[in-house]
Amino acid sequence: PLSDLFIFGATFNHYHTGLLDVFGNGFNMDIGFLGSLDRLEVSLLFRNIFPFLDVSYGYAEENLPFQMVLGLKKSISDFSFFDESEVSRHSQSDKQLCAVGASFSPDFLGDKLSLSVARSSFHVLGNVGSSVTMGVNTKLSVLGLHYAFEKSQDHITKFNHYFSLSINFKQRSI
């Protein structure tokens, strides 16, 4: 953290995607900032900061567009409500994307468990589709386990399951 109210983070991303017998690989990087005051958080994310890096499919390449995302989160008791808006434009469409959602973290469990639900929009073939996602997060010491299920309007990937693992070497709550 840069201070008690302001945090900076960066991620190095490896993309591996496949559908039937077509597979793609690529790399990029994201950077983000988080500011908090009382129970309000504001975040700004810059995704794919190296627009010249592509996902390669062997016979073709796909550009990963630079994106800028603004997020707001307000916590009230055991609930958090959030809104996210992509403020940059996607290369396939000039339609703005957004997401809204809520999460529940019972106070008596501390930060050990949270449940969340969200509705979001996405670009598909020049149009905007939507999805609903439900997730659960749990923390065990420095280890975080995360699962989400997504039901999407996309006819190819109607149902998605996401699993992730995080390690936090420095425990800090905002």
Side-chain angles (χ1 to χ4, degrees):
L2 300 175
S3 75
D4 288 341
L5 302 176
F6 189 73
I7 299 170
F8 167 80
T11 61
F12 179 72
N13 303 306
H14 171 250
Y15 296 97
H16 178 78
T17 184
L19 181 63
L20 301 175
D21 61 345
V22 177
F23 295 93
N25 287 289
F27 297 92
N28 217 304
M29 187 173 185
D30 305 337
I31 59 172
F33 304 90
L34 173 68
S36 65
L37 186 58
D38 195 23
R39 298 189 67 130
L40 176 68
E41 294 179 8
V42 178
S43 63
L44 184 59
L45 169 68
F46 299 97
R47 186 178 290 141
N48 301 321
I49 63 172
F50 300 115
F52 54 87
L53 295 177
D54 296 327
V55 174
S56 174
Y57 295 94
Y59 61 89
E61 293 186 346
E62 177 183 13
N63 179 264
L64 298 171
F66 173 80
Q67 298 170 331
M68 188 170 59
V69 180
L70 176 65
L72 297 172
K73 181 175 114 176
K74 176 68 176 170
S75 298
I76 302 170
S77 186
D78 293 346
F79 294 90
S80 293
F81 304 94
F82 55 88
D83 175 49
E84 179 182 281
S85 179
E86 181 183 315
V87 294
S88 64
R89 301 296 183 205
H90 193 278
S91 61
Q92 297 176 358
S93 174
D94 63 355
K95 296 177 180 148
Q96 193 167 358
L97 301 180
C98 65
V100 294
S103 67
F104 173 68
S105 296
D107 193 41
F108 67 90
L109 291 175
D111 63 353
K112 302 285 186 239
L113 177 73
S114 69
L115 306 170
S116 59
V117 63
R119 180 168 175 86
S120 60
S121 57
F122 59 90
H123 289 283
V124 58
L125 301 175
N127 296 313
V128 174
S130 66
S131 66
V132 174
T133 306
M134 294 172 277
V136 61
N137 298 302
T138 185
K139 290 184 183 175
L140 307 167
S141 185
V142 298
L143 189 65
L145 303 171
H146 317 281
Y147 167 75
F149 170 76
E150 176 187 45
K151 182 176 183 324
S152 172
Q153 286 182 330
D154 186 3
H155 68 281
I156 295 175
T157 58
K158 281 187 178 183
F159 305 103
N160 293 298
H161 299 272
Y162 301 95
F163 297 93
S164 66
L165 173 71
S166 62
I167 300 172
N168 184 357
F169 293 107
K170 183 175 180 182
Q171 295 293 324
R172 180 177 180 275
S173 61
I174 298 175

